[in-house]
Amino acid sequence: MLGSTHGTLTTDSRRARVTACGEQPAPAVHGRPAATDDLDVSGRPLYAGVPELDRFFRPESVAVVGASDAEGRPNTGITRQLLAWSERVGARLHPVHPTRQSVFGIPCVPSVADLPEQVDLAVLLVSDPLPVIEELAESKVKFAVVFASGFAETGVEGAAAQARLAAAVARSGLRLLGPNTNLNAFEKFRDDLDGPAIALITQSGHQGRPVFTMQELGVRLSHWAPTGNEADLETADFISYFAEQPEVGAIACYVEGLKDGRSFLLAADRAARRGVPVVAVKVGRTETGARTAASHTGKLTGADTVVDAAMRQYGVIRVDGLDELQDTAALLARARTRTLAPGADGVVVYSISGGTGAHFSDLATEAGLRLPRLTEAKQAELHEWIPEYLDVSNPVDNGGHPVGDWRGRKIIDAILADPSVGVLICPITGPFPPMSDKLAQDLVDAAEQTDKLVCVVWGSPVGTESAYRETLLGSSRVATFRTFANCITAVRAHLEHARFTSFYRSPFDEAPRTPSPSFRKAQALMRPNEQLSEHAAKQLLRAYGIRVPREQLVTSAAAAVRAAGLVGYPVVMKASGAQLAHKTELGLVKVGLTSASQVRDTYRELTDIARYEGASLDGVLVCQMVEAGVEMVVGVTHDELFGPTVTVGLGGVLVEVLRDTAVRVPPFGEEQARGMLSELRGRALLDGVRGRPPADLDALVEVVLRVQRMALELDGELSELDINPLMVLPRGQGAVALDALAVCRSAPRGAGS
């Protein structure tokens, strides 16, 4: 396996390499230039600092530029909201308006320059914020919020205006939220709720409303960052900041477009290191959704398959609906302080109805939750309080929760005491007082005494019952849901995140920082803006230690016969040329040739076909024939948002039909490479089916990791790479790249870089 080569490159040489890719140098961290060790071999940052946002959320002084108290004016309501918020957080508010003496009885100054003190936060209620940004910079204001729209979300002219605004902010040294944002950050948050809180990030303010209003259901919220167009502060900044806040149990995000792929991954990595779950709705799964999101925020949505893979890679839990977002984030926040003991990931369903238990158990099992059968000893214990004729193996059917004595609590405690149980779920499809009232209270009391997760599904469509409104929602220890589906989604997310964080190791710690010895060999093979021939592409693979068949490139029939003798019969013959992408369809591949006469005739046939098709050849390949194995594909593509990506999947001529692939964004380690294989629908082929031996998974993983190294080191020069088929031989015999396609995309970087 290629090891990481931790050496040093000068910052200038790294910057030159990144610029050659048409990208910007690595960003400064906390205002300092990116140091050598902050960049990987592709020139991308390996570290991102946490922005100092305390004074944004809890300022000591606030300026409202464009403040108003005139009735009927839009700015009046906003000014009133900011005034109330400032009083709650203990901040001094200073109205700014060129023609008013006072606003709501507070003295008003005509300009930012006239503010009586240096302020932490300025809220700009003006249509053209650019001149004000320059004034704020001179006054050393730390943060600004731009409420105005009409920027990148409106098209080309708006994007240009936003670029000018972003440039002014970069020069100023202040941090900006927006433009095209709202004032959700300054809402009234309840301070009477306890337990870990949800921190909320939304690019569309309205889409965060369902999560924010969960406070009325007893779920604590600590922050809301409405990021808008993200000319400066972005989703990644707030994820990094919230992950460091001790009161935050989970981060909930509504994302329309990511500003920068690497920044997002670094932020998700920070949250993963600290075990803080991030739950996200990311629009753009469909072409329509992606187009709408772009028009709303003016950002790249990124190829959705890559976004999806990148989120899974860093433990970000992606959900589809806002109801899933709120319920999953709420459960994860409440479960933040719970520890999942090894092997204690079992789910037990406890129900007062056999039908309800069976229905829920079906859905939970289908979703991948593990419902272990309780031991005979545990069942015997439960039958001390539950009639013998009822099934208590899991689901546990109590036939009706005991109301008049202590038995109900004994049942719940006995289930939670089982070492294989990590989650107890009680579906209550409708209220049935007094039984449902007593059941709810027993569940709440048991939850207070255990570190295990207790969940209730309250299925009543009314939702006004005291058992629900007061008992269940009044507890910060019980996670309460209204639907089976959302409960199952949230519990699955909790268990998966617990497993993920227990094994998580940041890939950025081991990412290669300097080129491997393979880099110079490979760079010499690059041809800017050209597709390499199969022969040249295989030389590229050889440079990175990826095995290819014995083969020779020949330019005559006689040479083909001699090469076949050296390679060894039977042989494969292929036309080799820079523009030949689909040789099989053109009849330019012949297999199973066993004699000199077949080789001679095939050489003439291949060159005739190429001449007829107008294809320029650099020769004909005479190759070793490799048959016994599983055909896979391993490739590299360049994503506009994340940069190089690596794909593995079932290969061969049906690769585009099967579309059975998995994607990762470098850097990643061996565990992630093996995880890619587990995502394939056809994974069983690698394990051996119908008497075939298991494939050499270690060799396949090795190829994936070497291709990743190539993708990083040749980023900016290698646009695409396709190894198809990669023949994965039986265990212990390795993997052989039978064909390869490589496309270069820009001028090579200097050999000294």
Side-chain angles (χ1 to χ4, degrees):
M1 185 179 298
L2 287 176
S4 298
T5 50
H6 298 278
T8 57
L9 283 178
T10 66
T11 301
D12 288 343
S13 66
R14 288 180 182 276
R15 189 171 292 113
R17 290 176 64 181
V18 178
T19 305
C21 304
E23 302 172 12
Q24 295 301 312
V29 179
H30 279 310
R32 60 179 172 83
T36 299
D37 288 341
D38 288 340
L39 303 174
D40 70 13
V41 71
S42 74
R44 289 181 172 82
L46 291 170
Y47 173 82
V50 181
E52 299 287 351
L53 297 175
D54 291 351
R55 289 299 185 202
F56 175 84
F57 288 106
R58 306 284 301 188
E60 292 185 353
S61 53
V62 180
V64 181
V65 182
S68 173
D69 58 2
E71 289 301 323
R73 301 283 297 177
N75 285 7
T76 299
I78 297 174
T79 304
R80 187 180 287 115
Q81 176 189 349
L82 289 168
L83 180 59
W85 173 76
S86 297
E87 291 175 352
R88 286 195 300 272
V89 300
R92 298 176 294 278
L93 186 140
H94 302 289
V96 180
H97 195 284
T99 62
R100 296 182 180 275
Q101 296 299 313
S102 67
V103 171
F104 290 118
I106 302 172
C108 187
V109 296
S111 71
V112 170
D114 298 309
L115 286 168
E117 63 176 326
Q118 181 180 329
V119 300
D120 295 321
L121 172 67
V123 180
L124 278 55
L125 307 181
V126 295
S127 58
D128 183 9
L130 186 57
V132 183
I133 292 296
E134 295 169 348
E135 293 178 16
L136 294 175
E138 293 180 4
S139 299
K140 308 297 184 185
V141 174
K142 295 181 178 68
F143 296 98
V145 177
V146 173
F147 185 70
S149 58
F151 290 89
E153 79 280 3
T154 63
V156 176
E157 291 186 7
Q162 183 166 312
R164 291 192 294 272
L165 179 64
V169 169
R171 292 191 301 269
S172 71
L174 63 78
R175 302 306 305 270
L176 180 138
L177 183 73
N180 189 30
T181 187
N182 51 40
L183 303 179
N184 298 135
F186 315 123
E187 297 277 359
K188 182 177 182 180
F189 293 82
R190 286 183 58 175
D191 57 9
D192 60 333
L193 301 174
D194 59 7
I198 296 174
L200 180 60
I201 306 168
T202 61
Q203 283 182 283
S204 168
H206 190 67
Q207 291 294 84
R209 284 287 163 195
V211 177
F212 182 75
T213 54
M214 288 192 75
Q215 293 178 104
E216 299 310 309
L217 302 179
V219 178
R220 182 184 172 203
L221 258 76
S222 59
H223 305 80
W224 188 353
T227 60
N229 284 16
E230 300 187 354
D232 177 32
L233 287 169
E234 58 182 302
T235 296
D237 291 314
F238 289 102
I239 291 176
S240 293
Y241 175 77
F242 292 150
E244 298 286 346
Q245 306 310 305
E247 72 270 28
V248 172
I251 301 169
C253 309
Y254 173 81
V255 182
E256 293 177 348
L258 297 172
K259 181 178 178 181
D260 177 80
R262 177 54 70 92
S263 295
F264 177 78
L265 297 186
L266 288 168
D269 172 69
R270 181 177 293 278
R273 291 180 193 241
R274 285 152 182 76
V276 180
V278 179
V279 188
V281 170
K282 167 65 175 68
V283 299
R285 286 194 186 275
T286 66
E287 182 181 349
T288 301
R291 185 172 61 250
T292 304
S295 66
H296 190 176
T297 63
K299 295 194 180 57
L300 293 171
T301 56
D304 191 69
T305 53
V306 178
V307 171
D308 203 53
M311 286 185 168
R312 283 199 311 276
Q313 198 170 327
Y314 288 87
V316 176
I317 299 148
R318 189 175 183 184
V319 296
D320 292 320
L322 296 178
D323 59 330
E324 293 176 299
L325 178 66
Q326 64 191 42
D327 281 352
T328 302
L331 180 139
L332 287 166
R334 290 186 166 180
R336 177 77 195 285
T337 57
R338 320 287 174 87
T339 57
L340 193 65
D345 60 348
V347 175
V348 168
V349 178
Y350 178 62
S351 174
I352 62 176
S353 162
T356 301
H359 183 198
F360 191 94
S361 298
D362 272 352
L363 297 173
T365 302
E366 182 68 21
L369 298 184
R370 187 176 72 88
L371 273 64
R373 181 180 177 85
L374 298 179
T375 65
E376 295 300 326
K378 179 59 65 176
Q379 292 185 54
E381 182 184 0
L382 293 174
H383 277 308
E384 293 180 24
W385 311 294
I386 297 174
E388 287 287 341
Y389 61 84
L390 294 174
D391 185 1
V392 296
S393 62
N394 192 14
V396 175
D397 178 8
N398 60 30
H401 188 74
V403 174
D405 55 35
W406 41 262
R407 288 175 298 155
R409 176 66 189 277
K410 285 282 190 180
I411 295 169
I412 296 170
D413 288 343
I415 295 171
L416 290 170
D418 192 304
S420 69
V421 175
V423 182
L424 171 66
I425 302 176
C426 184
I428 305 173
T429 54
F432 192 61
M435 186 187 301
S436 52
D437 297 351
K438 183 65 164 63
L439 174 56
Q441 188 61 58
D442 284 346
L443 289 165
V444 167
D445 292 342
E448 294 292 338
Q449 302 299 317
T450 182
D451 283 335
K452 296 183 179 182
L453 192 59
V454 176
C455 302
V456 177
V457 182
W458 189 265
S460 167
V462 179
T464 58
E465 301 85 356
S466 62
Y468 170 65
R469 299 294 303 183
E470 298 172 16
T471 306
L472 293 173
L473 296 184
S475 169
S476 63
R477 299 287 293 178
V478 173
T480 304
F481 302 86
R482 300 305 302 275
T483 67
F484 284 11
N486 280 13
C487 176
I488 290 168
T489 295
V491 169
R492 182 177 60 196
H494 162 61
L495 295 174
E496 289 178 351
H497 189 263
R499 285 190 288 267
F500 172 83
T501 54
S502 65
F503 293 106
Y504 184 74
R505 299 293 180 273
S506 174
F508 295 112
D509 291 342
E510 298 300 324
R513 289 162 168 79
T514 57
S516 68
S518 303
F519 173 63
R520 291 183 184 276
K521 298 177 188 176
Q523 198 177 38
L525 298 169
M526 294 286 98
R527 298 292 180 266
N529 299 313
E530 292 184 11
Q531 177 180 306
L532 301 183
S533 68
E534 179 182 340
H535 180 61
K538 284 180 174 175
Q539 287 181 303
L540 183 63
L541 300 184
R542 281 195 187 99
Y544 277 88
I546 297 171
R547 182 178 164 192
V548 301
R550 296 191 303 273
E551 61 184 37
Q552 290 192 18
L553 183 69
V554 300
T555 55
S556 70
V561 172
R562 290 193 297 272
L566 293 172
V567 168
Y569 289 101
V571 298
V572 177
M573 294 182 66
K574 307 179 187 181
S576 178
Q579 300 306 314
L580 295 178
H582 300 287
K583 297 184 288 292
T584 302
E585 289 88 334
L586 296 175
L588 293 174
V589 178
K590 303 295 180 182
V591 301
L593 306 175
T594 59
S595 67
S597 61
Q598 286 182 323
V599 168
R600 189 178 294 108
D601 292 344
T602 298
Y603 180 88
R604 297 188 180 110
E605 181 182 356
L606 293 177
T607 53
D608 286 346
I609 293 173
R611 191 177 302 111
Y612 175 79
E613 295 289 344
S616 177
L617 301 184
D618 57 5
V620 172
L621 284 171
V622 181
C623 312
Q624 171 194 11
M625 188 166 173
V626 181
E627 294 182 278
V630 180
E631 291 187 341
M632 301 292 290
V633 59
V634 179
V636 174
T637 56
H638 189 88
D639 182 79
E640 290 185 343
L641 191 59
F642 292 99
T645 65
V646 177
T647 301
V648 65
L650 293 183
V653 295
L654 295 179
V655 62
E656 294 177 357
V657 176
L658 297 175
R659 294 183 178 274
D660 188 8
T661 58
V663 183
R664 291 293 185 274
V665 177
F668 57 87
E670 181 178 335
E671 184 178 343
Q672 284 286 343
R674 292 187 184 276
M676 296 171 78
L677 305 184
S678 67
E679 294 175 14
L680 302 177
R681 298 189 303 274
R683 165 59 194 263
L685 293 174
L686 293 167
D687 295 328
V689 294
R690 294 186 176 273
R692 293 194 175 193
D696 196 334
L697 296 183
D698 290 342
L700 175 55
V701 168
E702 180 77 10
V703 171
V704 171
L705 293 174
R706 289 177 181 269
V707 166
Q708 175 193 208
R709 187 64 182 254
M710 183 191 311
L712 285 169
E713 293 187 351
L714 296 177
D715 181 41
E717 299 166 43
L718 183 65
S719 175
E720 297 177 41
L721 175 71
D722 229 13
I723 305 174
N724 184 30
L726 174 75
M727 189 68 79
V728 185
L729 303 176
R731 184 179 294 161
Q733 298 181 31
V736 186
L738 302 187
D739 199 351
L741 178 149
V743 180
C744 308
R745 72 183 179 107
S746 68
R749 298 180 296 220
S753 67

